[in-house]
Amino acid sequence: MPRRLATGEAGFAAAFEDLVNSKRETETEVGDVVAAIIAAVIEGGDSALIGYTRRFDRFDPAETGLAIGAAEIEAAVARIDPETRAALELAAERIESFHARQLPTDFEINDPAGLRLGLRWTSIDAVGLYVPGGTAAYPSSVLMNALPAKVAGVSRRVMVVPTPDGVVNDLVLAAARIAGITEIWRIGGAQAVAALAYGTESIAKVDKIVGPGNAYVAAAKRHVFGKVGIDSIAGPSEILVVADAQNDPSWIAIDLLSQAEHDTAAQAILITDDADFADAVVASVEDHLATLPRAEIAAESWRAHGAVIVVGSMEEVPTLVDRLAPEHLELAVEDPDALSNRIRHAGAIFLGRFTPEAVGDYVAGPNHVLPTARTARFSSGLGVIDFMKRTTTVAADADGLGAVGPAAIRLAETEGLDAHARSIAVRLNRR
Amino acid sequence: MPRRLATGEAGFAAAFEDLVNSKRETETEVGDVVAAIIAAVIEGGDSALIGYTRRFDRFDPAETGLAIGAAEIEAAVARIDPETRAALELAAERIESFHARQLPTDFEINDPAGLRLGLRWTSIDAVGLYVPGGTAAYPSSVLMNALPAKVAGVSRRVMVVPTPDGVVNDLVLAAARIAGITEIWRIGGAQAVAALAYGTESIAKVDKIVGPGNAYVAAAKRHVFGKVGIDSIAGPSEILVVADAQNDPSWIAIDLLSQAEHDTAAQAILITDDADFADAVVASVEDHLATLPRAEIAAESWRAHGAVIVVGSMEEVPTLVDRLAPEHLELAVEDPDALSNRIRHAGAIFLGRFTPEAVGDYVAGPNHVLPTARTARFSSGLGVIDFMKRTTTVAADADGLGAVGPAAIRLAETEGLDAHARSIAVRLNRR
């Protein structure tokens, strides 16, 4: 059974603190192995990449080529059924459309002192997208990572995907084509991250690497950070559902399980103001588990990390939610907007009784790459600006420099940086 | 002498590549020491903090208190001269005003399928600002780090600053008051970073830590990353000056030295289309060095890392600049805007003959915390949104879910995530 807390009970504060601080990730220590692989790819380029791929993925890229070409992609697209293809296309269209709204605007101002100040956004030139192989290969993740880069204007959008035993994943290739990926390489693991960061004879290096991966991929991304940009390292999925007694317990139960089924380390939490409703949801979870294909994973997540919190009043909810800062937050209540407006820390919020979180995983439009492990306190889901960067501009003429320069000289002298001061002073004396 | 390259010469490509890839940072390996200090502060709280401060800063915070209180700050402000205070106030006003323009806007849309989709920004709750002690204590950096957090709406803006031998830096305290810092603690090093990230009896933990520091501070920030957010780890300063022969060589020479004087690992590069002008600048650098207080540092930086690149035509400039992706870029040419618009990768651009980079370090308004070591390819200077985060919202009713739900069910089934599919299906069947 998941842990059960009630705000009215003695010991709630300590039990809640324990829930907030509970660790679910088991970090595998693979730093040394990863460092060796990266060094080998820097040194050996393609031949190192081919060697690791032979060893870890059990096929020979020297025969197939490292790249997955247009014909192979077309063949994969042809193999998927029309309904799935239509679903991918609808998802892509909606994701692209929502992300296009995020494009930032430049500005330039003429300030009272006579300086012209500006800020402008430009896209990153080249981005690498890591896509896991095997069962963890999700076409929806290809769309969610690739489309914001496309919207941002990134010109090289490079995908790497391991193909264990040489078997390509048709859905992943179809999603890549729909999302406008410009290159695909059949490589994975730390060696793929190294190739993206440092380049090889075949693969030109990129400027930023995004996308999920196993412990080796995560360690490799940390290792190359600084040389290239990386996205955040995602932890196990989380859902926090706030539901009143007017909901169907079965709907809320399956919402909790929709995240629990991801991973035994996932976390599903219910907050409700009705203890009987909480009981009904807990019972319904068991009913669903009886027929879910991934019941074993979901059940372990629910029992080990799940929680039910009964509050005395929904007024207590915002404070609890902000402390948990969940990746996904469902507000299945009468006036979800009013409650949402009082919440500050959550990756994505799903409003009302007809908005299960899963709709956001696929087709709603906002990104499903979201901050986990309470990092929503200080970080955001993936967005268009993660594939762009800002440059500020300053333009002064003699008058403008005359207006603000003396203060800058004073501060530079105060800080003991005389060349700074002199670079302004020489210009003021020549007016 | 700095290295000299000319685009017309044989071997230019290789020499330029070498310049682009030259390493200037010497990383000190302090990870183990830092990990031990952080563990001790987590375990020991205030008493560990006091112990480390006694040992490293040679005074007893048990006597002075860990906090620097209002009276002590007022006394420091009273000790600084009025001209410096006015300069700090002008700088703060201009920085705050430019950063206020960066405040992002929320949006909410009703899409054709009947879903309501939104994106909203909220500020981080609590931010810690690390300020170095001793000679590297720059009041301008206090303004540049604290004011964007204030503009963003961060309510707790906490400063930590080591006070070696118990001596406070009046200018830093004055800048902190002007920048609206809400708490100041007289601690530094890895122990201060640990206190900010994990909290102690006296110091409440924060959500993000920014600001420059030595190798121990940088390692500590890396160590606590994930638990809290951090800013980027800044490398040695850089300036790239693009200047035609119409400039006064002395002005350009002192601009190069204004960054060279920061650090022996700093880098100053001149690009010009006139070899005689290049000679004149190089000669003028020597003249300035004869009278600069920090000549020793500046000369070592210039000789070890400086470079002069003579181009055949200014048309060649954008490609070279984008490869170097400099932290600071000066365009001292006739039409700087035209050239600037062709450049994609630079932290900050200074336009025209009367805009020395130093004006941007203090009073122009844009931030002086900027991406170094070619990271302007994928990252940005510090800004208001670094102290905020985004939450996306989705609201569907029965009709909206009916419109997009079937595609989501299809994709969820394809990915083998049946609880995801069922969470939508149960709602569609109940319509």
Side-chain angles (χ1 to χ4, degrees), chain A residues 81 94 111 120 123 125 140 207 248 255 258 261 343-346 381 390 410 415 420 427 430, chain B residues 81 94 111 120 123 125 140 248 255 258 261 343-345 381 390-391 410 415 420 427 430:
Chain A
D81 68 277
R94 295 183 55 86
D111 79 6
R120 67 176 206 209
S123 57
D125 283 343
S140 60
D207 301 303
D248 184 329
D255 294 355
S258 76
E261 77 172 343
I343 284 160
R344 296 173 49 76
H345 309 318
R390 310 180 291 274
R410 182 70 181 192
E415 294 185 352
H420 284 65
R427 286 165 165 94
R430 292 282 188 105
Chain B
D81 67 276
R94 294 183 56 86
D111 80 5
R120 68 175 205 209
S123 58
D125 283 343
S140 60
D248 184 328
D255 294 354
S258 76
E261 77 172 343
I343 284 160
R344 296 173 49 76
H345 308 317
R390 310 181 290 276
T391 299
R410 183 69 181 193
E415 294 185 353
H420 284 65
R427 286 166 166 93
R430 291 283 187 107

Side-chain angles (χ1 to χ4, degrees), chain B residues 130-351:
Chain B
Y130 190 94
V131 176
T135 54
Y138 293 139
S140 60
S141 289
V142 175
L143 302 184
M144 292 289 183
N145 281 277
L147 286 167
K150 182 183 171 203
V151 169
V154 174
S155 53
R156 268 188 76 218
R157 304 183 296 274
V158 183
M159 184 171 112
V160 293
V161 56
T163 57
D165 301 306
V167 180
V168 298
N169 181 319
D170 291 346
L171 286 161
V172 161
L173 295 190
R177 210 195 55 170
I178 290 167
I181 288 287
T182 59
E183 299 168 28
I184 308 180
W185 304 93
R186 58 181 103 237
I187 53 174
Q191 62 274 19
V193 174
L196 289 172
Y198 289 92
T200 68
E201 300 90 321
S202 299
I203 304 175
K205 59 191 170 190
V206 302
D207 301 304
K208 184 165 185 169
I209 302 174
V210 301
N214 62 19
Y216 292 88
V217 172
K221 281 167 66 182
R222 279 185 209 274
H223 197 280
V224 300
F225 175 57
K227 171 76 183 164
V228 297
I230 62 167
D231 58 355
S232 55
I233 309 285
S237 192
E238 308 153 12
I239 189 168
L240 171 56
V241 182
V242 177
D244 59 28
Q246 306 313 308
N247 289 282
D248 184 328
S250 167
W251 295 13
I252 301 303
I254 193 67
D255 294 354
L256 293 167
L257 290 171
S258 76
Q259 294 309 298
E261 77 172 343
H262 268 298
D263 189 340
T264 56
Q267 180 166 55
I269 301 177
L270 170 67
I271 296 184
T272 180
D273 57 355
D274 187 301
D276 292 338
F277 178 75
D279 293 339
V281 171
V282 170
S284 181
V285 164
E286 297 305 318
D287 292 345
H288 281 297
L289 283 173
T291 56
L292 268 186
R294 293 172 69 91
E296 205 173 328
I297 291 167
E300 188 174 334
S301 155
W302 178 238
R303 276 149 207 163
H305 306 296
V308 174
I309 303 175
V310 179
V311 293
S313 148
M314 287 294 188
E315 287 298 304
E316 301 167 21
V317 167
T319 307
L320 300 181
V321 171
D322 280 345
R323 288 284 289 133
L324 290 163
E327 180 190 18
H328 302 108
L329 173 65
E330 275 187 27
L331 300 178
V333 297
E334 201 52 41
D335 188 352
D337 283 87
L339 186 52
S340 173
N341 289 336
R342 295 174 58 196
I343 284 160
R344 296 173 49 76
H345 308 317
I349 305 181
F350 301 88
L351 301 160

Side-chain angles (χ1 to χ4, degrees), chain A residues 35-76:
Chain A
I37 292 173
I38 292 171
V41 173
I42 293 172
E43 175 72 22
D46 281 349
S47 82
L49 210 46
I50 290 168
Y52 284 120
T53 303
R54 276 194 197 118
R55 185 164 136 204
F56 297 131
D57 295 336
R58 302 166 303 278
F59 74 97
D60 190 352
E63 288 169 18
T64 58
L66 281 165
I68 299 185
E72 203 169 343
I73 297 166
E74 288 314 309

Side-chain angles (χ1 to χ4, degrees), chain A residues 7-365:
Chain A
T7 55
E9 284 173 3
F12 172 77
F16 183 72
E17 199 59 24
D18 187 55
L19 178 67
V20 166
N21 295 320
S22 61
K23 289 258 181 303
R24 289 174 291 126
E25 272 195 277
T26 48
E27 279 204 15
T28 317
E29 202 31 85
V30 296
D32 292 348
V33 177
V34 163
I37 292 173
I38 292 171
V41 173
I42 293 172
E43 175 72 22
D46 281 349
S47 82
L49 210 46
I50 290 168
Y52 284 120
T53 303
R54 276 194 197 118
R55 185 164 136 204
F56 297 131
D57 295 336
R58 302 166 303 278
F59 74 97
D60 190 352
E63 288 169 18
T64 58
L66 281 165
I68 299 185
E72 203 169 343
I73 297 166
E74 288 314 309
V77 172
R79 280 192 295 266
I80 71 165
D81 68 277
E83 199 189 332
T84 303
R85 182 167 165 175
L88 281 172
E89 282 167 349
L90 176 69
E93 186 191 308
R94 295 183 55 86
I95 295 163
E96 189 163 353
S97 163
F98 182 79
H99 284 77
R101 298 294 294 250
Q102 299 176 22
L103 277 165
T105 46
D106 300 349
F107 68 81
E108 193 169 61
I109 52 175
N110 288 292
D111 79 6
L115 279 76
R116 193 156 46 89
L117 307 175
L119 181 151
R120 67 176 206 209
W121 291 85
T122 44
S123 57
I124 294 172
D125 283 343
V127 166
L129 164 56
Y130 190 94
V131 176
T135 54
Y138 294 139
S140 60
S141 289
V142 175
L143 302 183
M144 292 289 183
N145 281 277
L147 287 167
K150 183 183 172 203
V151 169
V154 174
S155 53
R156 267 188 76 221
R157 303 183 297 274
V158 184
M159 185 171 111
V160 293
V161 57
T163 57
D165 301 305
V167 180
V168 299
N169 181 319
D170 291 346
L171 285 161
V172 162
L173 295 189
R177 209 194 57 170
I178 290 167
I181 287 287
T182 61
E183 299 168 30
I184 308 181
W185 304 93
R186 57 180 105 242
I187 53 174
Q191 61 274 20
V193 174
L196 289 171
Y198 289 92
T200 68
E201 301 90 319
S202 298
I203 304 175
K205 58 190 170 190
V206 302
D207 301 303
K208 185 165 184 169
I209 302 174
V210 301
N214 63 18
Y216 292 87
V217 172
K221 281 167 66 182
R222 278 183 208 276
H223 196 280
V224 301
F225 175 57
K227 170 77 182 164
V228 297
I230 61 167
D231 58 356
S232 56
I233 310 284
S237 192
E238 307 152 12
I239 189 168
L240 171 56
V241 181
V242 178
D244 58 29
Q246 306 313 309
N247 289 280
D248 184 329
S250 168
W251 295 13
I252 301 303
I254 193 67
D255 294 355
L256 293 166
L257 290 171
S258 76
Q259 295 308 299
E261 77 172 343
H262 268 298
D263 188 341
T264 57
Q267 181 166 54
I269 301 177
L270 168 67
I271 297 184
T272 180
D273 57 354
D274 188 303
D276 293 337
F277 178 75
D279 293 338
V281 171
V282 170
S284 182
V285 163
E286 298 304 319
D287 292 344
H288 281 297
L289 283 172
T291 56
L292 268 187
R294 294 172 69 90
E296 205 173 327
I297 291 167
E300 187 175 334
S301 156
W302 178 238
R303 275 150 209 165
H305 306 296
V308 173
I309 304 175
V310 179
V311 293
S313 148
M314 287 293 188
E315 286 298 304
E316 301 167 21
V317 167
T319 306
L320 299 180
V321 171
D322 280 344
R323 288 283 289 135
L324 290 163
E327 180 190 18
H328 303 108
L329 173 65
E330 275 187 27
L331 300 178
V333 297
E334 202 52 42
D335 187 353
D337 283 87
L339 186 53
S340 173
N341 289 335
R342 294 174 58 196
I343 284 160
R344 296 173 49 76
H345 309 318
I349 304 180
F350 302 87
L351 301 160
R353 309 190 196 284
F354 279 89
T355 319
E357 185 279 330
V359 78
D361 280 335
Y362 296 106
V363 297

